[in-house]
Amino acid sequence: MIQMRELRKDFTVRVKAGRLRREKRTVSAVDGIDLTIEPGEMVGYIGPNGAGKSTTLKMLTGVLSPSSGEVSVFGLTPVPQRTRLALRIGVVFGQRSQLWWDLPLGESFRLLRHIYRVPAAEHEARLRRCRGLLDLDAFLDTPVRQLSLGQRMRGELTAALLHGPRVLFLDEPTIGLDVVSKQAVRSFLAELGASGDVTLVLTTHDLADIERLCDRLVVIDHGRVVHDGTIEALHARYGSRRSLVVELDEPLPPGFTLPGASVTGVEADGHRVTFALDGSSSGAAVAALVAVASVRDLSVVEPDIEDVVARLYQAG
Amino acid sequence: MDRIGASVLTISPGRPFRASLTTFGALVWSGFRRYATYRQATIAGSFTNIVFGFLRCYVLLAVAAGAVGNRPAGYDVEQLATYVWVGQGLLAVTGMWGWAELADRIRTGDIASDLLRPVPPVVSYLAADLGRALHGVLTRFLGPVLVGLLFFPLVTPQRWQTVPLFVLSVLLAVVGCFGCRFLINATAYWLQDARGPQMLWTLGSGVLAGLYFPLRLLPEWLTVTLWVATPLPGLLQTPLDVLVERDPPALQAGLVALQAIWAVLLIWLATVVQRRAERKLVVQGG
């Protein structure tokens, strides 16, 4: 459905080189990306700022032309066949608006129906679903310029879906949203993805979006793919482990070892100890620990995706 | 979610022209609606047009009083007053000044949203501009014309074809003016900021479209050159000359035809420039 082969985008920047002289320098925003996305997939596309995420998305949607390489979406080449492609894809740029600033939200939707030439019945049905799921009714008559960011983003999502696109590109859809709005957007997208007939490509800096929504994670850095697979695969690759944090009445005897786990931190004069679990079940570790020490409290902490990704970015 | 989910689009099979017309109409209406939102601005704009109308009218009438036979450049007093007041009304209809929407969207990168629609940007901006012009006709045009009628003797057209030709000429002026403004704004694709070209435009268009004074006051070789070599007289002077019946019918029709040629040329040029720009476009920001 979506194919990128050796996709590159270079930008020329002029850098100061001396008092008056400026040198041209080529910067590769996207540096040879190969990626295939199948129908129905939900792909999280992440990377540090400036890694080339948005640039890739712009090339996929036909807004930017690639410097070299191939890209096809539905078998169409995005830039030359942009208007045809536009009928089949939905795009939300979290930092931009596709709605008309001066028009009420409802009127923007009506205009979009004519722009995309959607039959009235289909338009009504889709709008009704979105109104229900995203609680739009309270502000359908409000001009877009007066909407809060959360309201506007719900409007943007609706606007991107009214023509029934098969692929939805979302560029940081939860940026700047409060917790409740984020959850609303996420659960809406989760439901959309669960139906299986919309392919979703999502860039974000909020990894909770990815954990909640995406079964495939593509990490790019400096314009190259550095990871492509599930979140679990990422953990396995970077050796992230679950940890067991225990609070003890007495510090552990010196030289104490727990089979299948290693001590990674000792705090509060030895009253709080953190073990990293090397594949062993937390139950076995807890049982072994309780047998020798008096445990006041304990918790098992799942590996944090943010840590893994931070390590990944720093390595790059 | 199945109903929001995909279904192959049925794009009014068999009636593409009618569907295009509906889309265009909806875009025109959106332009109208967007301008209708700002009522206070409409009132303030009309007021300004009227104040400047008095200034311009008295200056030109003073010129007329000092001219040979009271007919500077072949206009009598009534024609001059009509020229000024209808011109003040047309200013907001053609929207000669103050449109920087496209340049702003290029600068901020919001142009990306326009490119993601299945309608070419030149078409959608033209449609919205026609809607804006329609709003201008209904609100900004009438005020100055009514005030002119109240305070000055204005011309009543004598020939049957004058009013329809005037309407056509205004429409062509709107399209031509849009073409010019689109091109000026489109320089932002290369310059990031179109304020320089825009200032030149504001200065040049005011003088060369016949706003500050009727171009007929210039030597004849110059007026002819301006008319043929630039679209600018077609933006204001031509419709006004048509209305005040400055020239014989055949010449008037010829001037309107010239407007039409320029309008087509400008829209074509806008399309070419837009296509070029898309190829080298850098969408600003993340």
Side-chain angles (χ1 to χ4, degrees):
Chain A
M1 170 156 288
I2 298 175
Q3 280 204 323
M4 291 173 255
R5 201 160 302 139
E6 273 301 304
L7 188 65
R8 292 180 63 94
K9 180 72 194 178
D10 301 324
F11 292 107
T12 321
V13 287
R14 284 165 204 275
V15 224
K16 240 182 152 165
R19 222 159 250 253
L20 289 171
R21 225 158 46 81
R22 286 189 169 196
E23 242 168 44
K24 271 192 182 180
R25 200 173 293 165
T26 309
V27 177
S28 301
V30 171
D31 190 8
I33 286 189
D34 289 282
L35 212 58
T36 305
I37 296 172
E38 301 297 338
E41 272 195 295
M42 296 181 80
V43 180
Y45 197 63
I46 67 169
N49 288 324
K53 305 181 296 295
S54 295
T55 307
T56 315
L57 236 52
K58 283 171 192 164
M59 286 193 280
L60 285 172
T61 51
V63 174
L64 278 188
S65 48
S67 302
S68 69
E70 282 170 40
V71 55
S72 85
V73 181
F74 296 105
L76 300 171
T77 314
V79 172
Q81 295 173 299
R82 198 187 65 229
T83 36
R84 275 179 68 194
L85 183 64
L87 290 168
R88 300 189 181 191
I89 60 171
V91 186
V92 174
F93 285 125
Q95 315 227 43
R96 315 190 182 287
S97 179
Q98 57 181 320
L99 302 165
W100 286 265
W101 197 242
D102 331 81
L103 294 182
L105 193 58
E107 208 148 323
S108 286
F109 293 156
R110 227 166 298 144
L111 184 55
L112 284 170
R113 172 170 104 71
H114 290 294
I115 289 179
Y116 286 92
R117 300 178 193 172
V118 183
E122 274 178 45
H123 174 84
E124 273 311 310
R126 289 190 192 120
L127 185 57
R128 206 176 314 127
R129 291 288 289 168
C130 286
R131 266 165 49 195
L133 285 166
L134 289 168
D135 273 329
L136 303 177
D137 287 337
F139 49 89
L140 266 182
D141 296 323
T142 313
V144 171
R145 62 173 189 275
Q146 290 169 8
L147 296 180
S148 74
L149 184 61
Q151 292 172 332
R152 207 199 76 206
M153 196 46 67
R154 285 183 267 165
E156 300 277 352
L157 276 172
T158 308
L161 288 167
L162 284 175
H163 55 288
R166 291 286 188 88
V167 179
L168 196 57
F169 294 102
L170 302 155
D171 193 1
E172 304 189 33
T174 55
I175 194 166
L177 297 187
D178 67 37
V179 182
V180 178
S181 300
K182 263 186 198 178
Q183 277 170 353
V185 168
R186 274 180 207 143
S187 56
F188 176 77
L189 292 175
E191 202 166 328
L192 189 70
S195 68
D197 43 23
V198 177
T199 309
L200 215 127
V201 180
L202 167 84
T203 82
T204 184
H205 286 299
D206 190 334
L207 294 161
D209 291 346
I210 305 274
E211 283 185 303
R212 173 92 163 75
L213 294 170
C214 301
D215 30 46
R216 182 174 168 196
L217 181 65
V218 176
V219 186
I220 70 162
D221 197 6
H222 294 102
R224 296 186 150 276
V225 175
V226 291
H227 174 82
D228 181 2
T230 58
I231 292 175
E232 289 71 36
L234 188 69
H235 282 312
R237 183 169 151 196
Y238 284 89
S240 30
R241 296 172 290 180
R242 290 193 299 166
S243 45
L244 177 67
V245 182
V246 285
E247 304 236 356
L248 304 160
D249 285 328
E250 293 295 322
L252 288 167
F256 173 83
T257 55
L258 195 60
S262 49
V263 179
T264 55
V266 180
E267 289 162 282
D269 295 329
H271 285 95
R272 189 186 304 129
V273 183
T274 308
F275 296 93
L277 298 171
D278 303 319
S280 70
S281 83
S282 50
V286 170
L289 195 66
V290 170
V292 295
S294 106
V295 175
R296 203 190 306 153
D297 198 1
L298 63 85
S299 57
V300 178
V301 182
E302 290 296 319
D304 188 2
I305 177 137
E306 304 236 356
D307 288 342
V308 183
V309 170
R311 260 190 285 162
L312 198 60
Y313 289 178
Q314 277 155 8
Chain B
M1 214 59 196
D2 47 345
R3 266 183 294 169
I4 292 184
S7 65
V8 177
L9 270 184
T10 41
I11 308 163
S12 313
R15 286 186 302 181
F17 180 71
R18 207 176 139 185
S20 303
L21 217 59
T22 315
T23 304
F24 197 79
L27 285 165
V28 171
W29 176 240
S30 79
F32 185 91
R33 281 284 288 120
R34 286 178 59 196
Y35 276 82
T37 315
Y38 301 105
R39 282 178 217 138
Q40 279 162 341
T42 305
I43 294 169
S46 299
F47 179 75
T48 313
N49 286 156
I50 290 167
V51 171
F52 275 90
F54 276 108
L55 272 173
R56 287 185 54 214
C57 198
Y58 281 124
V59 169
L60 276 180
L61 292 183
V63 171
V68 188
N70 286 357
R71 286 179 73 91
Y75 298 97
D76 65 24
V77 170
E78 288 181 9
Q79 282 176 318
L80 278 180
T82 311
Y83 187 97
V84 168
W85 288 104
V86 175
Q88 288 301 102
L90 278 186
L91 261 186
V93 175
T94 56
M96 200 143 72
W97 295 333
W99 188 72
E101 191 187 350
L102 177 66
D104 286 342
R105 289 179 73 83
I106 296 166
R107 188 170 50 81
T108 57
D110 283 345
I111 188 74
S113 314
D114 299 331
L115 296 177
L116 289 169
R117 304 239 159 87
V119 182
V122 176
V123 176
S124 59
Y125 276 103
L126 173 64
D129 200 60
L130 290 176
R132 181 204 57 72
L134 188 66
H135 176 259
V137 170
L138 297 181
T139 57
R140 302 281 299 271
F141 181 71
L142 291 178
V145 173
L146 284 177
V147 170
L149 268 174
L150 271 177
F151 291 93
F152 297 90
L154 299 190
V155 164
T156 320
Q158 301 300 315
R159 307 175 196 143
W160 66 267
Q161 71 272 43
T162 295
V163 170
L165 201 61
F166 172 69
V167 172
L168 177 64
S169 178
V170 169
L171 180 67
L172 290 170
V174 170
V175 175
C177 187
F178 165 78
C180 293
R181 284 181 282 122
F182 191 96
L183 289 168
I184 299 286
N185 272 261
T187 56
Y189 281 120
W190 286 269
L191 305 174
Q192 309 329 326
D193 194 327
R195 269 179 293 186
Q198 233 141 17
M199 267 165 76
L200 275 180
W201 163 254
T202 306
L203 191 72
S205 61
V207 176
L208 301 178
L211 174 69
Y212 297 151
F213 54 87
L215 295 175
R216 302 297 179 98
L217 286 168
L218 299 170
E220 198 180 334
W221 64 268
L222 188 56
T223 43
V224 173
T225 315
L226 279 177
W227 239 284
V228 177
T230 80
L232 294 168
L235 306 187
L236 196 69
Q237 175 95 38
T238 305
L240 294 175
D241 276 352
V242 166
L243 185 69
V244 303
E245 298 174 337
R246 166 70 174 67
D247 304 296
L251 183 56
Q252 295 215 312
L255 288 177
V256 175
L258 198 58
Q259 260 189 309
I261 293 169
W262 268 113
V264 170
L265 200 67
L266 284 164
I267 297 299
W268 172 77
L269 210 60
T271 318
V272 172
V273 167
Q274 175 66 27
R275 214 173 300 145
R276 270 284 167 84
E278 283 167 19
R279 238 176 291 149
K280 59 83 53 190
L281 178 67
V282 177
V283 175
Q284 315 283 341

